[in-house]
């Protein structure tokens, strides 16, 4: 996922592997020592997001200046120098990712609150709540944009995460443009684009969205966060701010109706959670021979609860299950371990030898993310590639 165009993926393996190959050259030994020393220095200090960001930005700028004067790149093109900078950023941030991503408790809490809020909103929100004109409403095709945004947690490098946002935005932009042409209307602008991006973000509800955006802001090389990338990223920040502060007025909705919808959504989500825990409790109850019998009143209450849960389950869609599983992955660290059971998930395209590796790898990663989320959603543990 590297660039000749700022965000095309066609030269991704070339950029990354060219950087690694040049770093193996004996004349690059000083660079290698400097990079390793920097990574160790950050890793051995307590997390401080602002200080870490300043340190990384300064190191990237200094190293890129050194690249320009070094024989390995001094006679190279601007594209080669840019590729070296991209490779450096990716290498450093992949190594530092566990240390700097969502490293502050406040950010973690923000992630949880935002994810829970979007989980509620996506149960009832409709395009008209965001004043999206009928001409531009295309929920089926918007799913493509949602899928691009949901890939964001697969990657560790700031640029790769940013590409997921840009891909999402470009899908939306192209769909709006095609709709305007078909309707013989003026090309859509920011007033048409942002509401759709907000809607897509709510429906996609990628875990740790807040931390992902902060991570890109802090650690994406500042000199490269410009132009189209900066425009779309700014829109994504606006979408996050909107949904964080969303209320009845923002959705052109009566306050009573808004609160009722939020409470109904909470009941639905609670029903899904109750279904999962009820199954565990029933199993434990059956295995305990000496457990005390419940009163008739408690039995009736349990039956009513099971009926309610059963009713909810009948109306579940694949999207409901996927969203539930994604939420469980965030709260359960074992989800990350289960991702590791799938070969190629963390591979680079250049590691593969078959044709069309870019498309194959992207599709495979999307499939794994969706499969593990669905498996979590239905309470299946220990999934692996053999289960598919």
């Amino acid at each position: 996922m590297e660039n000749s165009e700022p965000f095309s993926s066609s030269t991704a393996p070339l950029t990354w592997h060219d950087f690694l190959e040049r770093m193996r050259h004996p004349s690059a030994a000083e660079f290698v020592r400097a990079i390793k020393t920097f990574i160790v220095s950050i890793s051995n200090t307590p997390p401080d997001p602002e200080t870490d960001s300043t340190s990384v930005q300064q190191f990237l700028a200094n190293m890129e200046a050194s690249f320009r004067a070094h024989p390995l790149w001094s006679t190279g093109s601007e594209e080669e120098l840019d590729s070296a900078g991209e490779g450096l950023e990716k290498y450093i941030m992949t190594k530092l990712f566990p240390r700097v991503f969502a490293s502050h408790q406040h950010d973690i809490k923000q992630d949880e609150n935002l994810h829970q809020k979007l989980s509620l909103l996506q149960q009832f929100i409709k395009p008209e709540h965001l004043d999206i004109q009928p001409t531009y409403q295309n929920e089926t095709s918007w799913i493509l944009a949602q899928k691009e945004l949901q890939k964001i947690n697969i990657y560790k490098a700031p640029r790769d995460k940013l590409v997921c946002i840009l891909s999402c935005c470009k899908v939306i932009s192209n769909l709006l443009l095609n709709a305007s042409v078909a309707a013989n209307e003026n090309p859509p602008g920011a007033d048409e684009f942002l509401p759709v991006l907000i809607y897509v973000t709510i429906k996609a509800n990628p875990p740790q969205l807040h931390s992902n955006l902060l991570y890109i802001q802090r650690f994406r090389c500042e000199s490269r966060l410009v132009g189209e990338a900066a425009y779309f990223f700014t829109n994504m920040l606006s979408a996050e701010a909107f949904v964080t502060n969303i209320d009845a007025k923002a959705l052109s909705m009566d306050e009573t109706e808004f609160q009722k919808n939020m409470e109904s959504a909470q009941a639905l989500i609670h029903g899904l959670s109750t279904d999962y825990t009820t199954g565990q409790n029933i199993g434990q109850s059956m295995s305990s021979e000496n457990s005390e019998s419940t009163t008739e009143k408690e039995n009736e209450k349990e039956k009513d609860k099971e009926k309610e849960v059963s009713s909810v389950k009948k109306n579940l869609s694949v999207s409901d299950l996927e969203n539930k599983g994604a939420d469980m992955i965030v709260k359960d660290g074992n989800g990350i371990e289960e991702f590791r059971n799938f070969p190629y998930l963390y591979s680079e395209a250049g590691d593969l030898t078959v044709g069309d590796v870019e498309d194959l790898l992207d599709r495979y990663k999307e499939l794994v993310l969706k499969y593990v989320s669905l498996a979590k959603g239905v309470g299946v543990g220990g999934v692996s590639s053999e289960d598919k």
Side-chain angles (χ1 to χ4, degrees):
M1 294 166 69
E2 305 294 341
N3 64 327
S4 52
E5 284 280 322
F7 288 94
S8 74
S9 60
S10 59
T11 60
L14 297 178
T15 297
W16 176 238
H17 290 284
D18 178 69
F19 171 76
L20 294 179
E21 282 301 316
R22 296 198 192 204
M23 284 294 106
R24 293 187 181 102
H25 194 278
S27 65
E30 186 177 342
F31 288 151
V32 173
R33 282 194 295 272
I35 292 170
K36 288 183 176 179
T37 299
F38 177 74
I39 292 172
V40 170
S41 69
I42 295 292
S43 301
N44 289 340
T45 56
D48 184 331
E50 297 308 318
T51 300
D52 292 342
S53 174
T54 300
S55 298
V56 168
Q57 293 291 345
Q58 289 179 346
F59 184 77
L60 291 175
N62 292 339
M63 286 293 289
E64 288 192 46
S66 298
F67 286 166
R68 189 174 291 274
H70 194 275
L72 282 173
W73 288 280
S74 59
T75 59
S77 64
E78 285 298 318
E79 183 179 357
E80 288 178 300
L81 287 166
D82 186 65
S83 295
E86 293 286 10
L88 175 66
E89 178 187 292
K90 181 168 186 171
Y91 182 83
I92 289 175
M93 296 316 304
T94 298
K95 295 293 185 181
L96 291 177
F97 183 81
R99 159 67 174 70
V100 301
F101 183 80
S103 61
H104 197 282
Q105 189 60 41
H106 175 72
D107 296 338
I108 296 173
K109 187 62 178 177
Q110 284 280 89
D111 281 328
E112 293 175 352
N113 291 340
L114 183 59
H115 192 67
Q116 290 172 6
K117 190 169 189 178
L118 296 188
S119 295
L120 298 178
L121 290 169
Q122 65 183 194
Q123 303 300 327
F124 64 86
I125 194 167
K126 299 183 183 300
E128 48 266 31
H129 290 141
L130 296 170
D131 298 326
I132 299 173
Q133 300 175 28
T135 300
Y136 298 119
Q137 293 183 17
N138 192 345
E139 292 190 69
T140 301
S141 295
W142 290 345
I143 293 176
L144 299 174
Q146 294 171 34
K147 294 302 180 185
E148 291 299 327
L149 189 57
Q150 287 170 339
K151 294 177 184 177
I152 197 168
N153 287 303
I154 292 175
Y155 303 101
K156 296 181 179 179
R159 184 186 181 283
D160 292 344
K161 290 179 176 292
L162 183 59
V163 167
C164 295
I165 293 174
L166 266 66
S167 297
C168 167
C169 290
K170 286 184 175 181
V171 170
I172 294 172
S173 183
N174 290 336
L175 289 171
L176 291 176
L177 181 59
N178 291 339
S180 69
V181 171
N184 197 27
E185 296 186 1
N186 292 328
D191 290 342
E192 289 75 32
F193 175 80
L194 184 57
V196 177
L197 178 59
I198 292 170
Y199 185 85
V200 165
T201 300
I202 292 173
K203 287 294 187 178
N205 193 13
Q208 298 179 294
L209 177 61
H210 178 70
S211 286
N212 274 294
L213 298 182
L214 285 180
Y215 180 73
I216 293 169
Q217 278 185 303
R218 291 166 177 164
F219 302 110
R220 174 60 176 158
C221 182
E222 293 173 345
S223 64
R224 293 187 174 87
L225 192 52
V226 295
E228 183 184 62
Y231 173 75
F232 282 136
F233 184 65
T234 300
N235 272 274
M236 191 71 240
L237 292 175
S238 297
E240 184 207 13
F242 181 91
V243 296
T244 297
N245 300 298
I246 206 167
D247 55 17
K249 184 178 179 181
L251 295 180
S252 304
M253 188 181 293
D254 177 76
E255 179 65 33
T256 302
E257 181 185 3
F258 177 76
Q259 291 300 331
K260 183 179 180 181
N261 284 329
M262 292 292 278
E263 290 169 4
S264 297
Q266 182 66 60
L268 173 61
I269 293 174
H270 177 71
L272 294 175
S273 177
T274 301
D275 180 37
Y276 179 74
T277 56
T278 298
Q280 292 182 320
N281 292 336
I282 291 175
Q284 293 172 359
S285 176
M286 292 177 64
S287 63
S288 179
E289 295 181 358
N290 298 321
S291 63
E292 296 182 2
S293 61
T294 59
T295 65
E296 183 176 347
K297 184 176 181 180
E298 289 174 332
N299 281 331
E300 289 300 321
K301 185 182 293 186
E302 189 65 30
K303 288 179 181 179
D304 290 340
K305 184 184 293 185
E306 290 178 3
K307 288 179 181 179
E308 180 182 350
V309 169
S310 177
S311 176
V312 169
K313 284 187 66 178
K314 290 178 181 178
N315 296 317
L316 288 182
S317 65
V318 172
S319 178
D320 292 327
L321 290 173
E322 188 174 353
N323 288 329
K324 178 193 173 188
D327 186 46
M328 294 172 68
I329 289 173
V330 174
K331 296 177 180 178
D332 180 9
N334 292 331
I336 302 301
E337 293 297 326
E338 293 181 14
F339 279 142
R340 291 177 181 151
N341 292 332
F342 297 90
Y344 308 125
L345 181 59
Y346 296 106
S347 299
E348 295 296 330
D351 297 332
L352 306 179
T353 58
V354 297
D356 299 323
V357 290
E358 287 289 343
D359 182 65
L360 172 64
L361 193 58
D362 283 345
R363 290 175 182 275
Y364 183 84
K365 289 176 179 178
E366 181 180 350
L367 176 63
V368 170
L369 182 61
K370 184 174 182 179
Y371 177 70
V372 174
S373 296
L374 285 171
K376 281 286 183 181
V378 296
V380 177
V383 293
S384 67
S385 56
E386 284 76 14
D387 297 322
K388 293 168 61 177

